[in-house]
Structure formats: structure tokens, C-alpha cells
Amino acid sequence: MAKTKTIYEKSNGLSDAHLSYCPGCTHGIIHKLVAECLVELDVLDRTIGISSVGCSALNYDFFSCDMQQAAHGRAPAVATGIKRVKPDSIVFTYQGDGDLASIGIAEAIHAAHRGENVTIVFVNNAIYGMTGGQMAPTTLIGQKTTTSPDGREEAHSGLPLKISEMMATIPGATYIERVSVHNPKHVIKAKKALKKAFEIQKNKQGFTLIEFISTCPVNWGMKPKDAVDWAVDNMIPYYPLGVFKDKTNEEAN
Amino acid sequence: MAKVLMKGNEAMALAAIKAGADAFYGYPITPQNELPEYMSKHMKEHGRVFLQSESEVAAINMIYGAAGAGARVITSSSSPGIALKQEGISYMAGAELPAVIVNVMRGGPGLGGIQPSQGDYKQITRGGGNGDYYLYSLAPESLQEAVDLIKESFDIADYFRNPVMIAVDGLIGQMMEPVDFELETPKWDLPKKTWATDGNQKGRDKNIINSLYLDPNDLEKHDLKLKKKYDEMKRDHQRYELINMDKADIAIVAFGSTARVCRTSIQLLEEEGINCGMIRPITIYPFPSKAFDEIPKSVKDLLVVEMNTGQMIDDVKIVNEGKLPIHFYGRSGGIVPEAEEIVEKVKEIMGGE
């Protein structure tokens, strides 16, 4: 029998628990990237992650580091509480767009405002997934959800909130980037961004937020492949990818 | 150590520092502001954490995070601010996290007023947030008692892995009294916090701080586990003081500043030859039912006195089990009752027999 060689395996940063996500959802990819970054930076055993409320509420079981589960939107406050008493730990929150952009916007803004040395993993799929597909602040104009059955209308709900652009205006924030995981090239780019954010935290350089453009095939009512195409065709034009703030680079200049 | 003359809010802050508080997170609100102000200066001197949060909601969630990381934590607020914190307090009870929460009560409902009140009695003693839980709640009547109870309350919180509420009113927060900070207070036998997500996972399995149980059987089991703590509080940790009860014809039931006023009323009544006693709950949760087992046969009436329109009276009715007539005298809106008002009420009750 030929010798076998392991060329790919699950990151030690993930537990053996079965993920609770729907088929085609990109949470799995993003979890993998978070886990790989923590392992590669050799910080897993001093990391405390914070689960939020939404589809990722159960991910305290999925990561293999210490985890806290936070109330809806409060993860950045919980992260602040932890980091201030454990400044040498690595602290990240994992939040969806309902959690961060709506109910938890104050906590997110003020964590950035204070320059908390934590990392926010922000997953934007333009909808409330866990509760069954309601409209989020990030829902696109015309997008049908269970609470915008005729499609989101500007006159009724305003225009979708651009979190990365907004957070980049906060003087206290250090690094803000929006990425996507719709193809391998972008997955690699996304990992680079996330790793940079964790490195900044490791170097105690302040607040970092990486926004991931994500999909929700079930609540969008699409097949996974169609959902990816929809994200590329509709979300990325409105939510452009790129670095919105990099204080570490400004300081270098 | 000699006694120090201090303002209530500052004395409570210093007591927390003496008790080894690692972190204070809070938001400004009258009449408790001197507590965080004192902390902002002195926590730093001790190499500890002070942070003014963006809201009450954020403050209690910072407390959640730091308590989950194994730190000794304290926050303070006043009535409407405590209402905002209830979400986080419920999560802390659910996730079994210890913390000390000081509530310097003011009048309500709504924005209410900024003068002393006991209008949060129900907010404090009924849990306050969603779900089946309670807070061990201490209601001191003097600065010395407040300081002693705060020093001990961190141990109590750690022992039960549950938040402890220090329930005082604006009067205790704002007044000055001499306090001895070095009086011995009980030390509880505390296990190591092996459950904490403390950022040092070397040599142990991961820890999880959580209040989510999606399986109804798991959640019921968890609720019953929590209930055991509250049963133990009720069984073994009721606190109260009986004052002048031996030959009393009538007994006042009052806590906190109101009890302090009632002490004067009892003296005034004694001068008029009226034997009035008092049951003073020190824990308002658990409510001191055992005190009512000690009421002598001479007592014919109970008079509940509160700085609200009648909240504790319901607990008195529960433990009284219909045995004695229960009367009520209360002032609200931020008005502290005068000793003479209570004297008049007692005389009215006695004269009516």
C-alpha cells in the first residue's frame, strides 16, 4: 500500500463538534479562518472568543479556545470587560449583522472609540438568519425578507448601513477591512486580513474589525451557488471590498 | 484603625477596593456618582481597572465578561440604571457569574426623581430580568454596615456564583458618617475559579461561560440547579435584626434608611410608654421569614414602613400567613418619613384597638 501523507486537516482551533450551520452558508469557512489564524499566531491557548446571538450563537462549542456567550449585541462590551482584566489575552467577538449593525451598534462603536485591543469578526449576510430571515440594517434595497415582503424600500427603512465605512471614521479604531469568501482567491485574501487584525491585537496596537460578506442561501431562498453569485452581483457592488482604515500603515508613513 | 468620616458612595467604593475588587465598570447616574468618581481615581492607584462605559447596558456586560474571566468585579448605579442592567444581570445569573452590584435607589417610575427611595424593592427582590433567578440582596441601614457588607459581598457572590445586590437609597449614598474600614468581616470558604475563561488554557480543557440551553431538559436541569442556590440562601443565609421586640405590643417592619428613622420613632414611643419593636430585614432577598417565627405573643400588630407606596408589604403578608393585622405607612417620591409621622401612625393603630 502506498504511503499516505496528510496534506490538509482541520485546524486545532476548531473542536470536533458538528457545526449547526445550513448547507452553503459561509460561516464554516470563516470559522476555519479564525481558527487557523489563532493557531498560526500561536495564541490559541490564551484566546477568549465571544459568541453573540444569531446563527453563530452556538459557536462557543465550535472553537477550541475559551469562549463566552454574550447577550444580543453586547459582545464588544463583554470583550472589553475581559480584555481590561486580561490584557495579555487575545479576545475576539464573532457577530452577525443583526447583532452588530442593529441591536449592538452602540457597543461596537464604543469599543472602537476606546480603541479596545480586541478583534471583531463581523459577518454580513444582509439578513437575520437565526430568527428566520427578517430585514437587517444591511438588507439591500429591493431585497425581500420576512419583514420586508415587498423588498426593502428606502422611503420606509432608509439605505443599508455600511459598517466598515462607518467604523473607519472612528478615530480610536486601528484597522478596518471588508473581505469576501466567495471563491478561493478571496478566502486567501480574507485570511490575510484576519491574520493582520489578530497580529495588530497581539502587538497591542488597538481595535480591529474585519467585515466578511457572507451568504444565507436558506433565507435568501437560493441554492448555495446562486447565493454566492447574488452576493458577488449585489452585495459587493454596494459593500466594496478593501481596507477602510489602517492606522499601522498611517504610522509607518 | 480609627474611624474615618466619609460620604456613603465613597465609603462603599473604598470598601470594594479593600475587598480586592479587580475592576469597576459603570455609567454616571445620580445619586451614585461619587462611587465611580472615587473608583476612577483610586482603582488606578492600586493597579486595578476602572472604566466608564457608554451605557448601563454596556457596563453590566463588561462586568459579565470580566467576571467570566475570573476577576472580582463591581458596578454601581441607581434605579433607572439598574433597570437597564437587568438584561445583563439575568445573563450573569444564568451563566453563574459572581459580581457585586450597588443600587443607590432614587424615586421612580421612569426618570422619577433623584431623591432617596426604596421603590426598587420589587425590582431587586424578584430577580428583575427574565427567567427564574434571584440576587442575594443586602440592605444596610448605616455606612458602617454598608462597608462591612460590601467587603463580605464579594465572597458571597463568589460562593454562590451569583450576583449580589447592595440595596441602599440615596440617603446612604449621600450622607456622611464615621466608618471603620478594618473591622473583621466573615471570610467565606471559596473554591478556586476553575471554571473561568481566564486566558490561560495551558494544562486544562477549554472553559465556556454560557446561559444558553436549547434542549428543554437541559434548561430545566439548569434552572433546578440554580434553584438549589436560592433554596440554600433562604435556608441558611437569611439576615435580620430584632430591635426592642421582647415586650413589644406592635412591631415595625422596615429596612435600610427607613429602619434607621424607625429606631428614633421607637425611642419616642418608649418615652410615651408605648412598647414598639422592629424587625429589620438585612437581606431583602432572601426575605427573613425566620424573624417572623420569633415574634413574641405580646405583639398584636405589624406596621410595614417603606419609602415607596407598599412593596415589601407583600413579602410580610406571605410570611405572616394571616396571623397578625398588617398596617402600612410609606412616603414616596423621594420623601424620607419623619420619625414623628411613624409615631403618629403607631398611635393611630394602637388607639384603634
Side-chain angles (χ1 to χ4, degrees):
Chain A
M1 211 175 124
K3 264 191 176 177
T4 58
K5 192 178 145 204
T6 304
I7 55 165
Y8 179 82
E9 61 185 342
K10 182 169 66 70
S11 168
N12 285 337
L14 293 171
S15 73
D16 291 331
H18 285 278
L19 301 189
S20 52
Y21 303 113
C22 306
C25 165
T26 56
H27 269 309
I29 298 170
I30 301 164
H31 280 48
K32 173 187 115 116
L33 299 185
V34 171
E36 286 179 354
C37 288
L38 295 173
V39 170
E40 286 166 24
L41 292 170
D42 195 23
V43 294
L44 189 67
D45 60 6
R46 60 180 170 107
T47 296
I48 303 154
I50 298 142
S51 313
S52 57
V53 172
C55 296
S56 58
L58 295 165
N59 72 6
Y60 52 80
D61 273 337
F62 306 155
F63 293 107
S64 57
C65 55
D66 276 356
M67 295 293 294
Q68 291 198 14
Q69 204 290 322
H72 202 13
R74 317 298 176 221
V78 172
T80 299
I82 298 170
K83 190 73 178 197
R84 293 285 177 136
V85 295
K86 300 285 175 194
D88 294 327
S89 61
I90 298 296
V91 177
F92 75 91
T93 71
Y94 190 107
Q95 302 174 259
D97 45 327
D99 192 86
L100 184 141
S102 192
I103 196 168
I105 192 69
E107 285 77 6
I109 285 175
H110 283 281
H113 154 227
R114 291 186 301 264
E116 295 296 340
N117 190 34
V118 300
T119 300
I120 291 183
V121 178
F122 170 46
V123 181
N124 177 5
N125 61 5
I127 206 161
Y128 280 78
M130 180 67 129
T131 45
Q134 292 82 5
M135 187 180 71
T138 45
T139 294
L140 295 180
I141 292 297
Q143 191 183 339
K144 287 184 179 174
T145 70
T146 58
T147 52
S148 59
D150 301 323
R152 179 176 180 157
E153 294 169 64
E154 182 185 349
H156 183 269
S157 311
L159 292 168
L161 199 53
K162 298 186 177 192
I163 293 298
S164 287
E165 287 84 341
M166 188 176 83
M167 297 297 273
T169 66
I170 297 171
T174 298
Y175 190 81
I176 312 285
E177 182 171 352
R178 185 185 288 123
V179 298
S180 177
V181 289
H182 63 270
N183 66 25
K185 180 185 148 201
H186 278 276
V187 170
I188 290 164
K189 259 186 117 168
K191 182 173 172 183
K192 225 177 121 189
L194 189 60
K195 200 163 175 181
K196 174 155 183 170
F198 279 123
E199 269 170 344
I200 287 169
Q201 184 183 163
K202 198 179 171 186
N203 297 333
K204 301 192 174 175
Q205 289 173 289
F207 180 87
T208 50
L209 179 146
I210 307 298
E211 175 177 350
F212 290 80
I213 296 296
S214 182
T215 60
C216 185
V218 169
N219 287 303
W220 290 0
M222 295 175 198
K223 289 178 180 163
K225 173 71 174 73
D226 296 338
V228 167
D229 292 341
W230 193 87
V232 172
D233 294 341
N234 296 279
M235 287 187 73
I236 293 175
Y238 188 80
Y239 298 118
L241 308 182
V243 177
F244 291 88
K245 180 155 195 190
D246 184 359
K247 241 193 219 175
T248 61
N249 201 24
E250 286 164 24
E251 276 159 13
N253 289 342
Chain B
M1 191 185 142
K3 288 189 173 183
V4 194
L5 185 66
M6 275 183 95
K7 194 171 190 174
N9 284 330
E10 295 181 344
M12 290 190 286
L14 179 54
I17 292 171
K18 297 245 179 210
D22 296 306
F24 176 97
Y25 304 100
Y27 184 78
I29 182 170
T30 307
Q32 60 84 56
N33 290 317
E34 297 84 359
L35 203 162
E37 283 165 1
Y38 188 93
M39 286 296 203
S40 70
K41 185 161 191 274
H42 296 283
M43 287 294 265
K44 210 198 280 179
E45 288 169 5
H46 288 82
R48 306 188 201 162
V49 174
F50 165 86
L51 187 65
Q52 181 173 318
S53 61
E54 65 270 31
S55 67
E56 302 288 358
V57 175
I60 195 69
N61 283 285
M62 291 173 186
I63 290 283
Y64 177 104
R72 282 203 143 178
V73 290
I74 176 167
T75 185
S76 64
S77 189
S78 177
S79 309
I82 294 292
L84 277 169
K85 285 185 200 287
Q86 293 295 4
E87 174 199 58
I89 295 172
S90 168
Y91 275 70
M92 293 189 76
E96 299 191 80
L97 295 177
V100 175
I101 302 159
V102 180
N103 181 1
V104 185
M105 284 183 273
R106 59 188 250 183
L111 204 46
I114 56 169
Q115 299 299 325
S117 165
Q118 295 178 326
D120 291 356
Y121 182 85
K122 289 208 169 157
Q123 183 180 205
I124 292 165
T125 58
R126 266 61 186 167
N130 63 302
D132 274 319
Y133 77 93
Y134 297 93
L135 307 183
Y136 192 79
S137 303
L138 293 156
E141 64 163 352
S142 67
L143 298 202
Q144 185 65 56
E145 193 176 31
V147 161
D148 292 345
L149 290 178
I150 284 180
K151 279 163 67 183
E152 189 185 352
S153 63
F154 286 90
D155 274 16
I156 301 173
D158 282 345
Y159 174 82
F160 285 113
R161 285 188 62 186
N162 197 74
V164 170
M165 178 81 77
I166 305 293
V168 297
D169 55 66
L171 197 62
I172 289 182
Q174 293 298 320
M175 72 182 179
M176 293 184 85
E177 276 193 307
V179 187
D180 185 346
F181 285 91
E182 307 305 328
L183 290 184
E184 275 297 310
T185 51
K187 297 274 180 290
W188 291 51
D189 195 15
L190 301 173
K192 278 213 165 70
K193 295 181 178 180
T194 53
W195 47 265
T197 57
D198 59 3
N200 183 12
Q201 222 184 301
K202 284 193 177 79
R204 66 161 168 83
D205 290 337
K206 70 179 272 195
N207 282 330
I208 298 172
I209 301 298
N210 179 37
S211 67
L212 178 65
Y213 296 84
L214 286 176
D215 183 327
N217 291 306
D218 291 344
L219 182 53
E220 186 183 53
K221 217 167 115 187
H222 180 63
D223 285 339
L224 291 173
K225 181 188 173 201
L226 298 183
K227 184 177 181 293
K228 269 193 181 164
K229 296 197 230 185
Y230 310 127
D231 288 345
E232 185 187 339
M233 289 177 192
K234 283 192 239 180
R235 190 183 64 236
D236 301 332
H237 300 285
Q238 294 184 11
R239 295 189 192 192
Y240 55 90
E241 185 184 2
L242 298 176
I243 298 141
N244 203 38
M245 285 291 281
D246 291 347
K247 49 185 176 35
D249 296 314
I250 181 169
I252 289 171
V253 188
F255 68 97
S257 295
T258 311
R260 194 85 175 269
V261 177
C262 290
R263 283 180 187 272
T264 308
S265 307
I266 290 168
Q267 278 174 13
L268 293 173
L269 286 161
E270 203 169 7
E271 285 164 20
E272 296 188 42
I274 298 169
N275 291 321
C276 179
M278 179 160 65
I279 294 170
R280 180 173 76 89
I282 298 170
T283 51
I284 52 174
Y285 187 90
F287 189 72
S289 57
K290 290 176 185 177
F292 293 77
D293 299 336
E294 296 184 46
I295 296 175
K297 285 218 162 54
S298 58
V299 172
K300 298 290 184 289
D301 291 275
L302 295 176
L303 170 62
V304 180
V305 185
E306 302 179 67
M307 278 196 277
N308 57 46
T309 58
Q311 297 192 25
M312 182 175 67
I313 188 170
D314 291 349
D315 281 334
V316 175
K317 283 178 181 169
I318 291 169
V319 299
N320 180 55
E321 293 179 323
K323 283 178 214 150
L324 291 170
I326 298 170
H327 310 269
F328 177 74
Y329 187 77
R331 296 302 302 267
S332 72
I335 297 166
V336 181
E338 298 282 343
E340 290 76 10
E341 296 172 53
I342 298 157
V343 166
E344 284 312 305
K345 181 70 187 176
V346 168
K347 281 166 48 179
E348 181 196 311
I349 295 163
M350 308 266 302
E353 279 175 8

